[in-house]
Amino acid sequence: MSLQNEPLTPAEGYAETAYRFDAIPEQSYAPQNEMLHGRILETRLPWGSYLGVNPTTYQYSDLWFREYQYIGDDYNDYTMINESRWSKRVDENVNDFYRINRFLFILFTHGFSFIRGGGWFVFGIISVCTLLFIFAADTLLQAFTPLLIATAVCGIATILRQLWEKHELKFYNSNRNWSNDYAFCRRTGMVKTFRGIFPFYEFDAYIEMTVGTQGSQFHSLKLIHRYPHRSPDSFSKRPLEFSFTVDGSIAQRYAAWDMLQRYMDVSQPLPDVPELEPFRHLDPTTKAYDEAGKRGRPATYWRDLYANSSEEELKALREAHRSEVDSTIWGGRPDLMELSVPNYRETRKGEPEDVNDFGRFPWKAGKFVDRPETTPSADSTDQQLNDEPPR
């Protein structure tokens, strides 16, 4: 069930450059980007035609509530995403010596911990070696000394990791800031970077595949600037791009792109995810949407859910949502940007025949079909949301 049948008219509070799906200006031809050759950009995701489904990473965050409780009133400044910007860089008020020591500390505690680390692997290797060479030692103490040392080292790493995970927010609150200078800015419709400020609609979303040393495949969501000659980098020569970390399937990456577009589109309310709930009243479109009763949830829905649910209950909700994202039909939608960029369809018009199975089954990787052509009338009625309360 959709909570919205047509885009809202945003109230005052946005710049004239703010992004709206129905007001993308005409742009120049998309040039051939030579720096993209050799990269496996398997598909370009479509603009518009929102499905209103958020990625599970954001819909049910593992860390959100703990950070929100600890940081309190300063949460707006210390969270990656708020009502005005989705930051892509952390500014930390620490020196290089501290950074190096913190890196070494994390490397040790996370690499040798028995909890979600390599502790059991190290313990297993030393145990096997102990059994193989036990009779070569003069005494049992001498034989088991390496195992005792490994156990002590991994045990210390485990304790330190637990202390770090319990108290890391003290560092987060005092030294860490999400940058406003390297971010996707909702109120202006611009993307701020160290190479300049560019309109959001000049970036295209791709699923990129990389191959590991043993043939394993990894997929990531990349946003790449369509006009690299306007955003040159004299050192790397690489195009301006952003990576978005999303756990799970290819469908999760489609959901992340859907969420980012709705976040930037001021004709739409903010995506209904926990990290954005404390700021919904600060965004004009979202405030009007909620006051009209279209959200269908209490103002503190996510806060109350996390406060009153056990980890097992949240895990069940998380897995149910993951199944929902994976079963959503992401393919077969037109691409709105074809109406604004003259040669956009010619540059890449295909998509996987089955988006949900793409990347999951290697033998389907080569099956692509043409994306449906875009018409103004089709897209004007296709921007609907599905931020439906979980059943």
Side-chain angles (χ1 to χ4, degrees):
M1 179 182 69
S2 173
L3 296 180
Q4 179 175 327
N5 294 323
E6 58 184 20
L8 298 175
T9 301
E12 295 182 1
Y14 305 112
E16 291 184 1
T17 55
Y19 173 73
R20 298 174 178 84
F21 81 92
D22 57 353
I24 302 176
E26 293 186 6
Q27 300 163 70
S28 58
Y29 282 78
Q32 289 291 335
N33 191 341
E34 299 296 330
M35 295 303 299
L36 297 182
H37 292 170
R39 298 175 61 175
I40 309 177
L41 301 176
E42 297 193 296
T43 184
R44 185 176 65 195
L45 278 56
W47 283 86
S49 303
Y50 309 140
L51 297 183
V53 178
N54 303 314
T56 306
T57 302
Y58 289 90
Q59 190 78 31
Y60 289 97
S61 167
D62 292 327
L63 301 176
W64 169 76
F65 190 60
R66 186 160 63 95
E67 293 180 351
Y68 174 71
Q69 278 187 311
Y70 184 85
I71 297 170
D73 294 339
D74 295 330
Y75 185 65
N76 186 284
D77 298 326
Y78 289 95
T79 184
M80 176 183 184
I81 177 173
N82 60 26
E83 83 288 351
S84 62
R85 59 102 178 102
W86 186 327
S87 180
K88 296 299 294 179
R89 183 177 184 275
V90 178
D91 288 330
E92 294 181 305
N93 183 27
V94 293
N95 57 41
D96 291 339
F97 179 77
Y98 184 91
R99 293 175 190 268
I100 293 172
N101 281 278
R102 185 183 65 189
F103 170 77
L104 295 175
F105 178 83
I106 295 297
L107 187 65
F108 171 71
T109 57
H110 289 57
F112 292 91
S113 172
F114 285 122
I115 302 176
R116 299 185 303 278
W120 287 113
F121 176 77
V122 174
F123 181 83
I125 295 295
I126 301 299
S127 297
V128 171
C129 293
T130 299
L131 292 176
L132 291 176
F133 298 101
I134 188 171
F135 298 108
D138 295 331
T139 63
L140 287 177
L141 179 61
Q142 186 182 43
F144 282 94
T145 295
L147 184 60
L148 294 173
I149 293 175
T151 304
V153 169
C154 293
I156 292 172
T158 302
I159 294 172
L160 291 177
R161 176 166 182 167
Q162 289 179 313
L163 292 173
W164 166 260
E165 291 179 348
K166 181 178 180 180
H167 300 288
E168 64 174 322
L169 288 179
K170 294 181 179 179
F171 162 81
Y172 181 84
N173 192 28
S174 59
N175 296 307
R176 195 176 193 184
N177 264 311
W178 287 98
S179 172
N180 293 326
D181 298 322
Y182 204 73
F184 290 77
C185 303
R186 173 175 168 89
R187 297 200 175 192
T188 63
M190 308 302 283
V191 181
K192 299 173 71 174
T193 76
F194 297 124
R195 300 191 200 179
I197 301 176
F198 307 94
F200 173 60
Y201 52 74
E202 289 188 355
F203 289 81
D204 292 322
Y206 294 88
I207 299 295
E208 182 175 28
M209 190 265 281
T210 55
V211 181
T213 55
Q214 297 181 346
S216 54
Q217 298 180 3
F218 304 93
H219 294 87
S220 57
L221 174 61
K222 301 284 187 179
L223 259 67
I224 303 176
H225 193 219
R226 190 182 309 124
Y227 305 102
H229 57 285
R230 300 179 188 170
S231 55
D233 186 288
S234 57
F235 296 100
S236 68
K237 305 297 183 183
R238 294 177 60 86
L240 177 59
E241 65 179 69
F242 294 88
S243 295
F244 284 80
T245 303
V246 187
D247 295 333
S249 64
I250 296 292
Q252 295 285 344
R253 287 149 180 81
Y254 272 79
W257 174 231
D258 193 275
M259 176 181 167
L260 177 61
Q261 288 184 86
R262 287 181 284 114
Y263 172 81
M264 291 295 291
D265 189 345
V266 297
S267 71
Q268 308 290 315
L270 290 169
D272 197 352
V273 295
E275 286 180 275
L276 287 171
E277 182 176 69
F279 319 127
R280 293 182 66 88
H281 66 288
L282 301 176
D283 179 74
T285 299
T286 309
K287 181 179 179 180
Y289 182 84
D290 291 354
E291 289 180 348
K294 295 184 178 182
R295 184 189 180 196
R297 288 171 171 169
T300 57
Y301 171 81
W302 289 112
R303 186 190 69 184
D304 297 340
L305 176 68
Y306 275 75
N308 299 318
S309 300
S310 66
E311 181 54 40
E312 290 73 19
E313 291 172 325
L314 290 173
K315 182 179 180 181
L317 290 171
R318 194 175 293 120
E319 292 306 313
H321 184 267
R322 192 178 301 278
S323 298
E324 178 186 348
V325 175
D326 291 343
S327 63
T328 298
I329 306 302
W330 294 101
R333 294 177 294 154
D335 194 327
L336 182 65
M337 197 57 66
E338 292 179 9
L339 303 177
S340 300
V341 179
N343 65 330
Y344 197 72
R345 183 169 178 82
E346 286 69 27
T347 57
R348 188 182 290 260
K349 62 182 179 180
E351 68 173 352
E353 183 179 40
D354 189 334
V355 171
N356 302 85
D357 285 339
F358 182 68
R360 189 184 309 170
F361 301 108
W363 57 87
K364 293 189 176 184
K367 295 185 178 181
F368 280 74
V369 295
D370 286 352
R371 193 181 298 280
E373 292 192 28
T374 308
T375 60
S377 58
D379 282 284
S380 63
T381 59
D382 207 16
Q383 308 302 310
Q384 298 183 359
L385 291 183
N386 257 342
D387 278 336
E388 189 176 350
R391 292 178 287 276

